């Protein structure tokens, strides 16, 4: 599954630093981990099980910055199944 533009836009926002955030988006359950700056870097998307884990797919985000702190790369990559 490819991430939709609206989901990528939602994931471009800042959240609580170094935390795990759970939410719903267009019928899917989302859980994502944020880095120390509050950027989502690890995403689990699918359906939440009774124990609270998300079964579906796992994505990882690559963020790269230049020496001045400008973002030069922002890319979500499918890493496989999330169980």
């Amino acid at each position: 599954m490819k991430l939709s533009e609206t989901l990528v836009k939602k994931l471009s926002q800042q959240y609580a630093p170094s935390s795990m955030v759970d939410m719903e988006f267009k019928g899917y359950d989302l859980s994502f981990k944020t880095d120390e700056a509050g950027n989502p870097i690890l995403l689990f998307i699918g359906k939440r099980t009774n124990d609270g884990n998300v079964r579906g797919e796992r994505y990882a985000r690559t963020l790269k910055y230049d020496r001045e702190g400008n973002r030069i790369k922002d890319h979500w990559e499918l890493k496989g199944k999330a169980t």
Side-chain angles (χ1 to χ4, degrees):
M1 168 198 310
K2 184 174 168 136
L3 296 178
S4 69
E5 289 298 318
T6 54
L7 179 56
V8 171
K9 190 173 186 178
K10 186 163 195 67
L11 293 171
S12 296
Q13 299 174 6
Q14 298 284 10
Y15 294 91
S18 301
S19 65
M20 194 71 159
V21 179
D22 298 325
M23 67 175 54
E24 255 187 57
F25 181 79
K26 294 190 177 182
Y28 291 103
D29 294 315
L30 304 177
S31 289
F32 54 87
K33 185 176 182 177
T34 60
D35 62 7
E36 60 278 347
N39 297 310
I41 55 169
L42 186 62
L43 170 68
F44 300 95
I45 183 170
K47 287 293 179 189
R48 194 168 310 282
T49 60
N50 291 336
D51 61 356
N53 294 329
V54 175
R55 290 187 70 111
E57 296 178 326
R58 178 173 58 101
Y59 290 85
R61 186 179 190 185
T62 302
L63 290 171
K64 294 199 178 187
Y65 299 92
D66 63 9
R67 290 193 172 113
E68 289 80 39
N70 299 319
R71 188 180 295 172
I72 57 174
K73 185 172 185 179
D74 185 354
H75 173 71
W76 284 98
E77 181 179 355
L78 177 64
K79 292 295 188 177
K81 295 287 182 191
T83 56

